[in-house]
Structure formats: structure tokens, C-alpha cells
Amino acid sequence: MSTPQSPWTVAPAQAVVTVAIQPAAELTPAQKRFNTLLARVSALSDSIATLEALSTQHRSSHLTAMSALKNQEDAARKNLLLFLDGRLHQAELTASHRRSATQIILALCEALEHKKDGQVQAIFNQHHSEEDAQALTEEARAGAEHAKAVFEDLFGKPLHGADDLHTAEAVFEAGLRQYREQQQRLEDKRQAKKAKKKPAARQLKDAQQKMDANTALRTVYRQLASALHPDREPDEAERLRKTALMSEVNAAYDRKNLSELLKLQLQIAQIDSAALSRIADDKLNAMCLLLKEQVEALEEDEAQAQFEIRHYLGVNELDHISAESLVRALAIQLRDKEHAVHALERDLRRIQNDAELKRWLKEQAQLAKEARAELTDLDRLLYRS
């Protein structure tokens, strides 16, 4: 004789779908919510698995390819740097040409992280005059003052320790730190005020639902533990199978993963599709609370998986990460890096004679002027807004 099914032993997505498609069975709001949450858990779990698979598939190979191209780019930069440094001492250049060449040399040194290469550092020291250093210091100070003004407008009061901050980056970090401290103080005040209040009816109801949810979780766990207890199984092979399943049950229970426990119940045929309709709505609502917590945790995991792909693979521009969009974005990265290498090599080939060198320096000076104008326009636009 078969053991009667408990109304608590509810199937996951499969059982919900079976009930939902029966024409005569109209789901209650609680049953519909249960169905929706299980579907959301399944979708999020699939999304996380897909993101992790994409990261595993592309991260190592793409970063290796990008590193190789970065080495080619640095080699091309250094070749251009050495050529310009040599020609600056030999070619008959105007003062304007020399200023442009010096600025390009310094930019190449910075891109090559000159402190890590003695030869590049020597060239940097040769061309980096005290006047240049003073200009950079003044530029940094102006950026810091502008950033201070922005944060002081935001806070409505001076920024803490502002007199000791001399770069825009330092001001930005200090401003963020002060903003977080301000938000934490406000949150502490809200929590302190909330703690003084007597529990409202809604809070009492939520607390009761939380207790019911934990009871529901323990009930499903105990049913599985009773059915899978390996010490009660005389057959060695079956005992090993139950031991493995019990390990999964314990892990799911420790994580409060109700959907996984329900799937395990389905796997060992401890449930039937009719059980859902026999559960009272208050008990079903308690299970929904557990599923809602699981959805929130999975949403955080999904966001973290997306962040890691965007951060480590440099695809911050992707609104939605899929296999197709990621492959396309990574291919664009490789193509752009290859174009950068080819552009450096092409420039070096072009400027082998003095006439082309002068034309190229004039072009670079004009491009730098246009870039500065664009930054100025952008800064004005941001400051007005």
C-alpha cells in the first residue's frame, strides 16, 4: 500500500503547470503567485548558469588575445617614440612642430607607463620640463577645485578635508566617502526611529509569515530526510544513492532553497500534481515568502555575474548580455585594438621623411586642439546641467 501524500509536498514548476492547464481548476491568487515565483527562480537560475558559462568560455581566451595585441601596441608605441625622439634632435623643425612632437612623446611615455621601462623613463625625463610639471600641477589643481564645487553644491556644505585634496580623483573619492557616511547616518536615524515604534499589524503579520515560512521549509526537509535516511536502507547501491541525495537536501536546506527541495521531492516521487490544490492559502503564502527571498538572492547573484563579465571583459556598453551580443562586443574590441596597432605602424612608416613628419605633426596638433575643444564644450554642458 502506498503512503498517502502530504498536502505540504508540493511539486515545483512541473506540478504548477499541470494544475494551471486544467480547464476546471482556477488557481487562487496565492497559487498564481507561487507559480510565478517558481518560474522566476527557474529563469534566474538559467540566466546565472548561462552567464557563468559565457564567462568561462570567453574570459581566458579573450584576455589572452587582448594581452597579445596590447604587447604589439606597446611595441608599436615604443618604436614610434624612439623614432620621434631621434628625429627631434636631427630634423629641422619649427617651434610649433617641436611642441607638437614633445607633447606626442610625453603622451606615448604615459601610455607606456614610463616608470616600468628605463629607456622610456629616460626619454620622459629629457622632455618633461619643470614648466610642463607646473602646468600639469595647475591643471590638476583646477580639476580639484571644480570637483570640490560640484560636491559642495550637492551637500550644501564644505567637503571634509578639502584643503588637503589636490586632484579631481582625490576629491571624487572623498566626496563619495562623505556621501556614504551621510546616507548611513540617515539610515541609522531611520532605523532608530523605527525601533522605538510598536510593531504595527503589518509587521506582526510579516513576522508570523516568516515563522510559517521557516516551518514550511522544515516540513519539506523532514519529509525528505525521512524518505532518504541512508541508515534505513539495506541495499548498498540504494544507500549510496540516498546518501548523495541527502547531501543535496542538506545543502539546499542550509541555503533555504525551497525550490531545490521541491525539485528533489519530485525526483524521488514524493509528490503528486494534485497536492498544490490541497494547500491552504496561508501556508502557500508562507512558502511564497521563502521563494521571494530566493528570487532576491538570485537577482543579486545575476547582477554580480553580469558585473564580472562587464568588468573583466570590458563590455560595459552592453545593456543585455547574451551569447550573441557578447561575441559581437568582444570581436569589436579585438578589431579596434588591431586597428590601433595598425595605425601606429602606419604612422611610423609614413613619417620616415621630414616633409611627411612635418605634415603629420601639424595634423596631430590640430586633432589635439579639436579634442580639447570637445572636452571644454562637454564640461560647460555638464556644469550648466
PDB file of all heavy atoms in Angstrom, residues 113-147:
ATOM      1  N   GLU A 113      53.545  53.632 -19.641  1.00  0.00           N
ATOM      2  CA  GLU A 113      53.841  53.552 -18.200  1.00  0.00           C
ATOM      3  C   GLU A 113      55.356  53.627 -17.997  1.00  0.00           C
ATOM      4  O   GLU A 113      56.009  52.677 -17.565  1.00  0.00           O
ATOM      5  CB  GLU A 113      53.262  52.270 -17.603  1.00  0.00           C
ATOM      6  CG  GLU A 113      51.749  52.175 -17.743  1.00  0.00           C
ATOM      7  CD  GLU A 113      51.182  50.901 -17.129  1.00  0.00           C
ATOM      8  OE1 GLU A 113      51.859  50.294 -16.274  1.00  0.00           O
ATOM      9  OE2 GLU A 113      50.067  50.522 -17.517  1.00  0.00           O
ATOM     10  N   HIS A 114      55.896  54.807 -18.295  1.00  0.00           N
ATOM     11  CA  HIS A 114      57.334  55.013 -18.430  1.00  0.00           C
ATOM     12  C   HIS A 114      58.160  54.561 -17.227  1.00  0.00           C
ATOM     13  O   HIS A 114      59.326  54.192 -17.357  1.00  0.00           O
ATOM     14  CB  HIS A 114      57.617  56.493 -18.725  1.00  0.00           C
ATOM     15  CG  HIS A 114      57.002  57.422 -17.735  1.00  0.00           C
ATOM     16  ND1 HIS A 114      57.625  57.778 -16.571  1.00  0.00           N
ATOM     17  CD2 HIS A 114      55.801  58.070 -17.737  1.00  0.00           C
ATOM     18  CE1 HIS A 114      56.855  58.621 -15.901  1.00  0.00           C
ATOM     19  NE2 HIS A 114      55.740  58.813 -16.572  1.00  0.00           N
ATOM     20  N   LYS A 115      57.566  54.557 -16.036  1.00  0.00           N
ATOM     21  CA  LYS A 115      58.332  54.190 -14.843  1.00  0.00           C
ATOM     22  C   LYS A 115      58.741  52.727 -14.838  1.00  0.00           C
ATOM     23  O   LYS A 115      59.601  52.317 -14.064  1.00  0.00           O
ATOM     24  CB  LYS A 115      57.524  54.523 -13.588  1.00  0.00           C
ATOM     25  CG  LYS A 115      57.310  56.024 -13.381  1.00  0.00           C
ATOM     26  CD  LYS A 115      56.519  56.317 -12.137  1.00  0.00           C
ATOM     27  CE  LYS A 115      56.311  57.822 -11.957  1.00  0.00           C
ATOM     28  NZ  LYS A 115      55.513  58.132 -10.734  1.00  0.00           N
ATOM     29  N   LYS A 116      58.091  51.909 -15.692  1.00  0.00           N
ATOM     30  CA  LYS A 116      58.415  50.485 -15.740  1.00  0.00           C
ATOM     31  C   LYS A 116      59.502  50.161 -16.770  1.00  0.00           C
ATOM     32  O   LYS A 116      59.923  49.013 -16.879  1.00  0.00           O
ATOM     33  CB  LYS A 116      57.154  49.684 -16.074  1.00  0.00           C
ATOM     34  CG  LYS A 116      56.058  49.803 -15.022  1.00  0.00           C
ATOM     35  CD  LYS A 116      54.839  48.969 -15.411  1.00  0.00           C
ATOM     36  CE  LYS A 116      53.740  49.091 -14.359  1.00  0.00           C
ATOM     37  NZ  LYS A 116      52.551  48.285 -14.718  1.00  0.00           N
ATOM     38  N   ASP A 117      59.920  51.141 -17.557  1.00  0.00           N
ATOM     39  CA  ASP A 117      60.900  50.927 -18.621  1.00  0.00           C
ATOM     40  C   ASP A 117      61.964  52.009 -18.523  1.00  0.00           C
ATOM     41  O   ASP A 117      61.674  53.198 -18.704  1.00  0.00           O
ATOM     42  CB  ASP A 117      60.192  50.982 -19.985  1.00  0.00           C
ATOM     43  CG  ASP A 117      61.111  50.631 -21.150  1.00  0.00           C
ATOM     44  OD1 ASP A 117      62.252  51.137 -21.182  1.00  0.00           O
ATOM     45  OD2 ASP A 117      60.675  49.868 -22.031  1.00  0.00           O
ATOM     46  N   GLY A 118      63.209  51.602 -18.221  1.00  0.00           N
ATOM     47  CA  GLY A 118      64.276  52.583 -18.017  1.00  0.00           C
ATOM     48  C   GLY A 118      64.533  53.447 -19.229  1.00  0.00           C
ATOM     49  O   GLY A 118      64.770  54.659 -19.101  1.00  0.00           O
ATOM     50  N   GLN A 119      64.486  52.869 -20.421  1.00  0.00           N
ATOM     51  CA  GLN A 119      64.742  53.627 -21.642  1.00  0.00           C
ATOM     52  C   GLN A 119      63.652  54.675 -21.867  1.00  0.00           C
ATOM     53  O   GLN A 119      63.942  55.833 -22.208  1.00  0.00           O
ATOM     54  CB  GLN A 119      64.819  52.676 -22.836  1.00  0.00           C
ATOM     55  CG  GLN A 119      65.250  53.340 -24.131  1.00  0.00           C
ATOM     56  CD  GLN A 119      65.346  52.345 -25.278  1.00  0.00           C
ATOM     57  OE1 GLN A 119      64.774  51.252 -25.218  1.00  0.00           O
ATOM     58  NE2 GLN A 119      66.074  52.714 -26.333  1.00  0.00           N
ATOM     59  N   VAL A 120      62.411  54.265 -21.670  1.00  0.00           N
ATOM     60  CA  VAL A 120      61.289  55.197 -21.841  1.00  0.00           C
ATOM     61  C   VAL A 120      61.334  56.273 -20.757  1.00  0.00           C
ATOM     62  O   VAL A 120      61.055  57.456 -21.012  1.00  0.00           O
ATOM     63  CB  VAL A 120      59.948  54.435 -21.809  1.00  0.00           C
ATOM     64  CG1 VAL A 120      58.778  55.408 -21.885  1.00  0.00           C
ATOM     65  CG2 VAL A 120      59.877  53.437 -22.962  1.00  0.00           C
ATOM     66  N   GLN A 121      61.696  55.891 -19.537  1.00  0.00           N
ATOM     67  CA  GLN A 121      61.773  56.856 -18.439  1.00  0.00           C
ATOM     68  C   GLN A 121      62.830  57.924 -18.729  1.00  0.00           C
ATOM     69  O   GLN A 121      62.623  59.106 -18.432  1.00  0.00           O
ATOM     70  CB  GLN A 121      62.112  56.134 -17.137  1.00  0.00           C
ATOM     71  CG  GLN A 121      62.203  57.049 -15.912  1.00  0.00           C
ATOM     72  CD  GLN A 121      60.880  57.703 -15.566  1.00  0.00           C
ATOM     73  OE1 GLN A 121      59.871  57.027 -15.487  1.00  0.00           O
ATOM     74  NE2 GLN A 121      60.880  59.008 -15.368  1.00  0.00           N
ATOM     75  N   ALA A 122      63.933  57.506 -19.326  1.00  0.00           N
ATOM     76  CA  ALA A 122      64.992  58.470 -19.661  1.00  0.00           C
ATOM     77  C   ALA A 122      64.496  59.488 -20.683  1.00  0.00           C
ATOM     78  O   ALA A 122      64.782  60.697 -20.568  1.00  0.00           O
ATOM     79  CB  ALA A 122      66.219  57.723 -20.192  1.00  0.00           C
ATOM     80  N   ILE A 123      63.755  59.021 -21.685  1.00  0.00           N
ATOM     81  CA  ILE A 123      63.197  59.938 -22.695  1.00  0.00           C
ATOM     82  C   ILE A 123      62.185  60.871 -22.036  1.00  0.00           C
ATOM     83  O   ILE A 123      62.156  62.075 -22.310  1.00  0.00           O
ATOM     84  CB  ILE A 123      62.545  59.135 -23.840  1.00  0.00           C
ATOM     85  CG1 ILE A 123      63.614  58.351 -24.606  1.00  0.00           C
ATOM     86  CG2 ILE A 123      61.775  60.058 -24.778  1.00  0.00           C
ATOM     87  CD1 ILE A 123      63.053  57.416 -25.656  1.00  0.00           C
ATOM     88  N   PHE A 124      61.356  60.314 -21.147  1.00  0.00           N
ATOM     89  CA  PHE A 124      60.361  61.131 -20.442  1.00  0.00           C
ATOM     90  C   PHE A 124      61.056  62.228 -19.635  1.00  0.00           C
ATOM     91  O   PHE A 124      60.656  63.399 -19.679  1.00  0.00           O
ATOM     92  CB  PHE A 124      59.526  60.238 -19.522  1.00  0.00           C
ATOM     93  CG  PHE A 124      58.502  60.990 -18.720  1.00  0.00           C
ATOM     94  CD1 PHE A 124      57.277  61.320 -19.283  1.00  0.00           C
ATOM     95  CD2 PHE A 124      58.757  61.373 -17.412  1.00  0.00           C
ATOM     96  CE1 PHE A 124      56.321  62.012 -18.553  1.00  0.00           C
ATOM     97  CE2 PHE A 124      57.807  62.065 -16.680  1.00  0.00           C
ATOM     98  CZ  PHE A 124      56.590  62.384 -17.250  1.00  0.00           C
ATOM     99  N   ASN A 125      62.088  61.877 -18.897  1.00  0.00           N
ATOM    100  CA  ASN A 125      62.800  62.856 -18.076  1.00  0.00           C
ATOM    101  C   ASN A 125      63.429  63.954 -18.935  1.00  0.00           C
ATOM    102  O   ASN A 125      63.490  65.120 -18.539  1.00  0.00           O
ATOM    103  CB  ASN A 125      63.893  62.167 -17.259  1.00  0.00           C
ATOM    104  CG  ASN A 125      63.319  61.259 -16.190  1.00  0.00           C
ATOM    105  OD1 ASN A 125      62.167  61.409 -15.791  1.00  0.00           O
ATOM    106  ND2 ASN A 125      64.117  60.296 -15.740  1.00  0.00           N
ATOM    107  N   GLN A 126      63.883  63.570 -20.120  1.00  0.00           N
ATOM    108  CA  GLN A 126      64.527  64.534 -21.018  1.00  0.00           C
ATOM    109  C   GLN A 126      63.553  65.580 -21.535  1.00  0.00           C
ATOM    110  O   GLN A 126      63.893  66.763 -21.677  1.00  0.00           O
ATOM    111  CB  GLN A 126      65.158  63.778 -22.187  1.00  0.00           C
ATOM    112  CG  GLN A 126      65.860  64.673 -23.191  1.00  0.00           C
ATOM    113  CD  GLN A 126      66.395  63.877 -24.372  1.00  0.00           C
ATOM    114  OE1 GLN A 126      66.355  62.658 -24.366  1.00  0.00           O
ATOM    115  NE2 GLN A 126      66.890  64.584 -25.378  1.00  0.00           N
ATOM    116  N   HIS A 127      62.318  65.165 -21.787  1.00  0.00           N
ATOM    117  CA  HIS A 127      61.342  66.067 -22.405  1.00  0.00           C
ATOM    118  C   HIS A 127      60.351  66.671 -21.411  1.00  0.00           C
ATOM    119  O   HIS A 127      59.632  67.605 -21.756  1.00  0.00           O
ATOM    120  CB  HIS A 127      60.565  65.328 -23.495  1.00  0.00           C
ATOM    121  CG  HIS A 127      61.412  64.897 -24.642  1.00  0.00           C
ATOM    122  ND1 HIS A 127      61.825  65.766 -25.630  1.00  0.00           N
ATOM    123  CD2 HIS A 127      61.956  63.690 -24.950  1.00  0.00           C
ATOM    124  CE1 HIS A 127      62.576  65.114 -26.504  1.00  0.00           C
ATOM    125  NE2 HIS A 127      62.659  63.847 -26.116  1.00  0.00           N
ATOM    126  N   HIS A 128      60.322  66.136 -20.205  1.00  0.00           N
ATOM    127  CA  HIS A 128      59.358  66.616 -19.208  1.00  0.00           C
ATOM    128  C   HIS A 128      60.014  67.727 -18.403  1.00  0.00           C
ATOM    129  O   HIS A 128      60.667  67.500 -17.393  1.00  0.00           O
ATOM    130  CB  HIS A 128      58.932  65.452 -18.305  1.00  0.00           C
ATOM    131  CG  HIS A 128      57.794  65.797 -17.396  1.00  0.00           C
ATOM    132  ND1 HIS A 128      57.939  65.952 -16.042  1.00  0.00           N
ATOM    133  CD2 HIS A 128      56.478  66.007 -17.661  1.00  0.00           C
ATOM    134  CE1 HIS A 128      56.770  66.246 -15.495  1.00  0.00           C
ATOM    135  NE2 HIS A 128      55.868  66.283 -16.455  1.00  0.00           N
ATOM    136  N   SER A 129      59.827  68.952 -18.820  1.00  0.00           N
ATOM    137  CA  SER A 129      60.470  70.102 -18.179  1.00  0.00           C
ATOM    138  C   SER A 129      59.721  70.517 -16.924  1.00  0.00           C
ATOM    139  O   SER A 129      58.613  70.074 -16.640  1.00  0.00           O
ATOM    140  CB  SER A 129      60.518  71.281 -19.156  1.00  0.00           C
ATOM    141  OG  SER A 129      59.190  71.730 -19.430  1.00  0.00           O
ATOM    142  N   GLU A 130      60.358  71.410 -16.146  1.00  0.00           N
ATOM    143  CA  GLU A 130      59.721  71.952 -14.945  1.00  0.00           C
ATOM    144  C   GLU A 130      58.448  72.714 -15.312  1.00  0.00           C
ATOM    145  O   GLU A 130      57.460  72.710 -14.580  1.00  0.00           O
ATOM    146  CB  GLU A 130      60.695  72.869 -14.205  1.00  0.00           C
ATOM    147  CG  GLU A 130      61.834  72.140 -13.531  1.00  0.00           C
ATOM    148  CD  GLU A 130      61.344  71.161 -12.473  1.00  0.00           C
ATOM    149  OE1 GLU A 130      60.352  71.476 -11.792  1.00  0.00           O
ATOM    150  OE2 GLU A 130      61.934  70.083 -12.339  1.00  0.00           O
ATOM    151  N   GLU A 131      58.483  73.400 -16.458  1.00  0.00           N
ATOM    152  CA  GLU A 131      57.290  74.139 -16.894  1.00  0.00           C
ATOM    153  C   GLU A 131      56.124  73.175 -17.158  1.00  0.00           C
ATOM    154  O   GLU A 131      54.979  73.455 -16.807  1.00  0.00           O
ATOM    155  CB  GLU A 131      57.608  74.939 -18.163  1.00  0.00           C
ATOM    156  CG  GLU A 131      58.547  76.106 -17.920  1.00  0.00           C
ATOM    157  CD  GLU A 131      58.803  76.889 -19.185  1.00  0.00           C
ATOM    158  OE1 GLU A 131      58.231  76.518 -20.242  1.00  0.00           O
ATOM    159  OE2 GLU A 131      59.566  77.867 -19.140  1.00  0.00           O
ATOM    160  N   ASP A 132      56.460  72.029 -17.794  1.00  0.00           N
ATOM    161  CA  ASP A 132      55.416  71.031 -18.048  1.00  0.00           C
ATOM    162  C   ASP A 132      54.849  70.498 -16.731  1.00  0.00           C
ATOM    163  O   ASP A 132      53.640  70.319 -16.587  1.00  0.00           O
ATOM    164  CB  ASP A 132      55.985  69.855 -18.860  1.00  0.00           C
ATOM    165  CG  ASP A 132      56.363  70.279 -20.270  1.00  0.00           C
ATOM    166  OD1 ASP A 132      55.706  71.200 -20.798  1.00  0.00           O
ATOM    167  OD2 ASP A 132      57.305  69.693 -20.829  1.00  0.00           O
ATOM    168  N   ALA A 133      55.761  70.226 -15.796  1.00  0.00           N
ATOM    169  CA  ALA A 133      55.315  69.715 -14.495  1.00  0.00           C
ATOM    170  C   ALA A 133      54.415  70.716 -13.789  1.00  0.00           C
ATOM    171  O   ALA A 133      53.392  70.359 -13.202  1.00  0.00           O
ATOM    172  CB  ALA A 133      56.532  69.383 -13.621  1.00  0.00           C
ATOM    173  N   GLN A 134      54.799  72.009 -13.865  1.00  0.00           N
ATOM    174  CA  GLN A 134      53.995  73.050 -13.235  1.00  0.00           C
ATOM    175  C   GLN A 134      52.626  73.151 -13.907  1.00  0.00           C
ATOM    176  O   GLN A 134      51.596  73.318 -13.240  1.00  0.00           O
ATOM    177  CB  GLN A 134      54.724  74.400 -13.321  1.00  0.00           C
ATOM    178  CG  GLN A 134      54.006  75.553 -12.623  1.00  0.00           C
ATOM    179  CD  GLN A 134      53.872  75.330 -11.140  1.00  0.00           C
ATOM    180  OE1 GLN A 134      54.720  74.693 -10.530  1.00  0.00           O
ATOM    181  NE2 GLN A 134      52.800  75.860 -10.544  1.00  0.00           N
ATOM    182  N   ALA A 135      52.603  73.032 -15.236  1.00  0.00           N
ATOM    183  CA  ALA A 135      51.337  73.102 -15.961  1.00  0.00           C
ATOM    184  C   ALA A 135      50.422  71.951 -15.573  1.00  0.00           C
ATOM    185  O   ALA A 135      49.211  72.131 -15.385  1.00  0.00           O
ATOM    186  CB  ALA A 135      51.606  73.079 -17.469  1.00  0.00           C
ATOM    187  N   LEU A 136      51.005  70.756 -15.443  1.00  0.00           N
ATOM    188  CA  LEU A 136      50.204  69.603 -15.028  1.00  0.00           C
ATOM    189  C   LEU A 136      49.671  69.779 -13.610  1.00  0.00           C
ATOM    190  O   LEU A 136      48.527  69.418 -13.304  1.00  0.00           O
ATOM    191  CB  LEU A 136      51.052  68.326 -15.105  1.00  0.00           C
ATOM    192  CG  LEU A 136      51.393  67.828 -16.517  1.00  0.00           C
ATOM    193  CD1 LEU A 136      52.358  66.651 -16.445  1.00  0.00           C
ATOM    194  CD2 LEU A 136      50.122  67.426 -17.258  1.00  0.00           C
ATOM    195  N   THR A 137      50.514  70.346 -12.729  1.00  0.00           N
ATOM    196  CA  THR A 137      50.066  70.590 -11.347  1.00  0.00           C
ATOM    197  C   THR A 137      48.916  71.581 -11.322  1.00  0.00           C
ATOM    198  O   THR A 137      47.924  71.392 -10.595  1.00  0.00           O
ATOM    199  CB  THR A 137      51.243  71.130 -10.506  1.00  0.00           C
ATOM    200  OG1 THR A 137      52.307  70.168 -10.513  1.00  0.00           O
ATOM    201  CG2 THR A 137      50.806  71.396  -9.075  1.00  0.00           C
ATOM    202  N   GLU A 138      49.036  72.651 -12.110  1.00  0.00           N
ATOM    203  CA  GLU A 138      47.971  73.650 -12.162  1.00  0.00           C
ATOM    204  C   GLU A 138      46.685  73.041 -12.734  1.00  0.00           C
ATOM    205  O   GLU A 138      45.574  73.330 -12.266  1.00  0.00           O
ATOM    206  CB  GLU A 138      48.410  74.844 -13.015  1.00  0.00           C
ATOM    207  CG  GLU A 138      49.498  75.683 -12.377  1.00  0.00           C
ATOM    208  CD  GLU A 138      49.046  76.305 -11.059  1.00  0.00           C
ATOM    209  OE1 GLU A 138      47.836  76.617 -10.936  1.00  0.00           O
ATOM    210  OE2 GLU A 138      49.877  76.451 -10.157  1.00  0.00           O
ATOM    211  N   GLU A 139      46.858  72.207 -13.747  1.00  0.00           N
ATOM    212  CA  GLU A 139      45.687  71.560 -14.350  1.00  0.00           C
ATOM    213  C   GLU A 139      44.987  70.650 -13.336  1.00  0.00           C
ATOM    214  O   GLU A 139      43.759  70.633 -13.231  1.00  0.00           O
ATOM    215  CB  GLU A 139      46.118  70.743 -15.566  1.00  0.00           C
ATOM    216  CG  GLU A 139      44.959  70.095 -16.316  1.00  0.00           C
ATOM    217  CD  GLU A 139      45.438  69.328 -17.538  1.00  0.00           C
ATOM    218  OE1 GLU A 139      46.596  69.523 -17.962  1.00  0.00           O
ATOM    219  OE2 GLU A 139      44.643  68.524 -18.071  1.00  0.00           O
ATOM    220  N   ALA A 140      45.792  69.909 -12.558  1.00  0.00           N
ATOM    221  CA  ALA A 140      45.227  69.032 -11.534  1.00  0.00           C
ATOM    222  C   ALA A 140      44.519  69.832 -10.452  1.00  0.00           C
ATOM    223  O   ALA A 140      43.437  69.474  -9.980  1.00  0.00           O
ATOM    224  CB  ALA A 140      46.330  68.176 -10.911  1.00  0.00           C
ATOM    225  N   ARG A 141      45.133  70.971 -10.068  1.00  0.00           N
ATOM    226  CA  ARG A 141      44.521  71.807  -9.033  1.00  0.00           C
ATOM    227  C   ARG A 141      43.192  72.393  -9.512  1.00  0.00           C
ATOM    228  O   ARG A 141      42.216  72.446  -8.759  1.00  0.00           O
ATOM    229  CB  ARG A 141      45.493  72.929  -8.647  1.00  0.00           C
ATOM    230  CG  ARG A 141      44.975  73.793  -7.492  1.00  0.00           C
ATOM    231  CD  ARG A 141      45.983  74.857  -7.081  1.00  0.00           C
ATOM    232  NE  ARG A 141      47.157  74.273  -6.469  1.00  0.00           N
ATOM    233  CZ  ARG A 141      48.375  74.282  -6.979  1.00  0.00           C
ATOM    234  NH1 ARG A 141      48.587  74.883  -8.160  1.00  0.00           N
ATOM    235  NH2 ARG A 141      49.380  73.740  -6.355  1.00  0.00           N
ATOM    236  N   ALA A 142      43.153  72.813 -10.774  1.00  0.00           N
ATOM    237  CA  ALA A 142      41.907  73.364 -11.322  1.00  0.00           C
ATOM    238  C   ALA A 142      40.823  72.291 -11.353  1.00  0.00           C
ATOM    239  O   ALA A 142      39.660  72.559 -11.029  1.00  0.00           O
ATOM    240  CB  ALA A 142      42.160  73.902 -12.730  1.00  0.00           C
ATOM    241  N   GLY A 143      41.200  71.067 -11.736  1.00  0.00           N
ATOM    242  CA  GLY A 143      40.226  69.968 -11.736  1.00  0.00           C
ATOM    243  C   GLY A 143      39.718  69.677 -10.346  1.00  0.00           C
ATOM    244  O   GLY A 143      38.527  69.406 -10.141  1.00  0.00           O
ATOM    245  N   ALA A 144      40.619  69.742  -9.353  1.00  0.00           N
ATOM    246  CA  ALA A 144      40.215  69.507  -7.962  1.00  0.00           C
ATOM    247  C   ALA A 144      39.241  70.571  -7.482  1.00  0.00           C
ATOM    248  O   ALA A 144      38.242  70.272  -6.813  1.00  0.00           O
ATOM    249  CB  ALA A 144      41.452  69.457  -7.064  1.00  0.00           C
ATOM    250  N   GLU A 145      39.520  71.833  -7.816  1.00  0.00           N
ATOM    251  CA  GLU A 145      38.632  72.915  -7.387  1.00  0.00           C
ATOM    252  C   GLU A 145      37.248  72.778  -8.015  1.00  0.00           C
ATOM    253  O   GLU A 145      36.220  73.019  -7.367  1.00  0.00           O
ATOM    254  CB  GLU A 145      39.251  74.271  -7.769  1.00  0.00           C
ATOM    255  CG  GLU A 145      40.501  74.630  -6.984  1.00  0.00           C
ATOM    256  CD  GLU A 145      40.235  74.712  -5.483  1.00  0.00           C
ATOM    257  OE1 GLU A 145      39.136  75.168  -5.089  1.00  0.00           O
ATOM    258  OE2 GLU A 145      41.105  74.293  -4.708  1.00  0.00           O
ATOM    259  N   HIS A 146      37.232  72.396  -9.282  1.00  0.00           N
ATOM    260  CA  HIS A 146      35.944  72.206  -9.951  1.00  0.00           C
ATOM    261  C   HIS A 146      35.159  71.076  -9.291  1.00  0.00           C
ATOM    262  O   HIS A 146      33.954  71.204  -9.032  1.00  0.00           O
ATOM    263  CB  HIS A 146      36.179  71.885 -11.424  1.00  0.00           C
ATOM    264  CG  HIS A 146      34.922  71.611 -12.192  1.00  0.00           C
ATOM    265  ND1 HIS A 146      33.983  72.584 -12.469  1.00  0.00           N
ATOM    266  CD2 HIS A 146      34.435  70.464 -12.730  1.00  0.00           C
ATOM    267  CE1 HIS A 146      32.980  72.054 -13.150  1.00  0.00           C
ATOM    268  NE2 HIS A 146      33.227  70.764 -13.318  1.00  0.00           N
ATOM    269  N   ALA A 147      35.846  69.976  -8.973  1.00  0.00           N
ATOM    270  CA  ALA A 147      35.179  68.839  -8.327  1.00  0.00           C
ATOM    271  C   ALA A 147      34.681  69.223  -6.938  1.00  0.00           C
ATOM    272  O   ALA A 147      33.587  68.806  -6.517  1.00  0.00           O
ATOM    273  CB  ALA A 147      36.136  67.650  -8.251  1.00  0.00           C
TER     274      ALA A 147
END
